[in-house]
Amino acid sequence: MNDATRGYIMIKNVDRVYVDAHGNEIEALKDVNLDIRPGQFISFIGPSGCGKTTLLRLIAGLDEPQNGQIYLDGELVKGTHYERGLVFQQANLFPWMTIEENIACGPKARGIYRYSTEEIREFIELVGLKGFEESYPHQVSGGMAQRASLARALINHPRVLLLDEPLGALDAFTRMNLQDELLRLWLERNTTMILVTHDVDEAVYLSDQIVVMTPRPGKIVQIVNVEIGRPRDRSDADFIQIRSKILKILQFAGEKKSPEYYL
C-alpha cells in the first residue's frame, strides 16, 4: 500500500448508545455514514454532546459501536493501534519523562527504539522542540507540550491522526501558531487528519471538509467543502462566507434542544 492510498476511512451505519448512572439509555450516535479520503483534513463540529468525541473514539478503537462498522483501508477497526494516532485536548505527557523520552514511547513499546534514535531527533526538530529534549513537561509551555504530543503520535507514522480539540486549552496566539504548525505537518506527512473542534474559524482555516453534526442523537446534518486555497486569510470574503454558512447550519441543527451529555 503506497502513501497515496493510506488513511482511507469508511464509517458505515454506526450507532452508539450509552447507559447513564440512572439506567437510562443515551443515544450518542445514530446511523452515521461517512467516507474520509486518504490525506484529507476533515473537521467534526457541532453542539456539545452531539457525539463528536464519541465518533473519534470509535475511529481510534477506544470504543465499539452497537451497530455498524468502521474500516481503515478496508480493515475493520478493532481495538487501538499505533497506526491510528490520537492527540487529546491536554498534552497527557508522562510527567516523570523528559520531552525526548515521551516522544520515544511509541518506538520503545514497539521494540524498535534502537533503530529510531535518529528519527526521534528529527521529529523533535520537526515540531520545533530542539534544545528542549531534556526538559520535563512541567518545564515547558502548554503549546510546547502539545507539540511534543503531536511528535509522539506522528513518530509512529500513523495512517490517520485523530485530534480531539488539541488546541482548545491554549491562548489565542499560541493556538493560531499551532494551527499553522498542524497544517505544515499535514502537508509534509500527507497523513489523514480528523479534528474535533467547537471553533468554527479553526475548522474553516484547517479543513478540506467540515462535517456538521446535530445534537443528541448525533447525526451528520451536512458536509461542507472548503474550496478556498491555502494559506487562508481569516478576513477574506470567501473565508467569512463559509464561516457564516457553518454558523447558519449549526443554528438550524441546534433548534431541537436537549440536555447536554459529554460523551
Side-chain angles (χ1 to χ4, degrees):
M1 184 181 299
N2 61 48
D3 286 344
T5 59
R6 293 175 82 248
Y8 176 44
I9 297 166
M10 293 188 297
I11 302 169
K12 300 295 182 186
N13 309 116
V14 163
D15 299 337
R16 186 64 177 101
V17 178
Y18 293 92
V19 178
D20 68 15
H22 305 289
N24 301 311
E25 287 192 347
I26 308 300
E27 199 172 20
L29 296 171
K30 179 67 175 176
D31 195 29
V32 175
N33 291 274
L34 182 66
D35 284 2
I36 300 172
R37 300 188 307 272
Q40 192 172 21
F41 201 128
I42 192 165
S43 291
F44 295 145
I45 196 163
S48 295
C50 73
K52 301 183 298 295
T53 293
T54 297
L55 187 52
L56 205 71
R57 287 172 58 84
L58 293 174
I59 299 169
L62 291 169
D63 196 1
E64 293 185 5
Q66 267 84 13
N67 299 299
Q69 300 83 32
I70 297 175
Y71 297 92
L72 173 59
D73 297 327
E75 303 168 3
L76 183 65
V77 170
K78 276 297 234 195
T80 58
H81 196 282
Y82 66 84
E83 289 194 329
R84 283 172 267 119
L86 183 58
V87 180
F88 297 96
Q89 182 171 359
Q90 302 297 331
N92 286 332
L93 300 176
F94 297 117
W96 60 87
M97 292 183 180
T98 65
I99 295 298
E100 182 173 357
E101 289 168 341
N102 268 284
I103 293 170
C105 280
K108 284 183 177 178
R110 294 163 56 200
I112 60 169
Y113 174 71
R114 62 178 175 163
Y115 307 110
S116 305
T117 52
E118 180 61 34
E119 191 174 42
I120 290 165
R121 287 192 287 270
E122 289 174 3
F123 269 90
I124 288 170
E125 189 164 355
L126 182 70
V127 297
L129 290 175
K130 188 175 181 180
F132 294 90
E133 298 91 332
E134 301 306 314
S135 299
Y136 287 89
H138 72 274
Q139 296 174 321
V140 299
S141 68
M144 293 170 74
Q146 279 296 46
R147 288 171 184 266
S149 291
L150 286 168
R152 184 172 62 180
L154 286 168
I155 199 165
N156 290 313
H157 299 280
R159 301 189 215 176
V160 56
L161 187 62
L162 306 166
L163 304 157
D164 190 5
E165 296 194 73
L167 312 181
L170 304 175
D171 65 85
F173 182 74
T174 303
R175 184 169 188 155
M176 285 191 289
N177 280 338
L178 276 185
Q179 286 170 358
D180 288 332
E181 191 72 10
L182 264 179
L183 282 177
R184 183 181 66 81
L185 292 170
W186 171 64
L187 290 168
E188 287 185 11
R189 308 300 302 177
N190 195 36
T191 303
T192 305
M193 292 196 181
I194 304 174
L195 171 72
V196 163
T197 182
H198 284 93
D199 187 329
V200 175
D201 276 36
E202 181 170 85
V204 177
Y205 189 74
L206 293 173
S207 309
D208 296 319
Q209 283 188 331
I210 300 170
V211 177
V212 185
M213 299 182 68
T214 66
R216 181 179 63 87
K219 299 179 182 178
I220 295 172
V221 66
Q222 195 165 335
I223 298 174
V224 178
N225 294 317
V226 185
E227 296 174 334
I228 51 178
R230 292 187 173 91
R232 292 174 179 167
D233 182 349
R234 293 174 177 85
S235 63
D236 182 77
D238 290 336
F239 189 103
I240 293 169
Q241 184 179 30
I242 293 175
R243 179 177 61 193
S244 298
K245 180 178 181 178
I246 299 293
L247 288 170
K248 286 178 183 176
I249 297 168
L250 285 169
Q251 184 179 15
F252 171 76
E255 283 180 355
K256 182 182 176 183
K257 302 298 181 183
S258 59
E260 290 189 355
Y261 291 88
Y262 295 88
L263 301 172

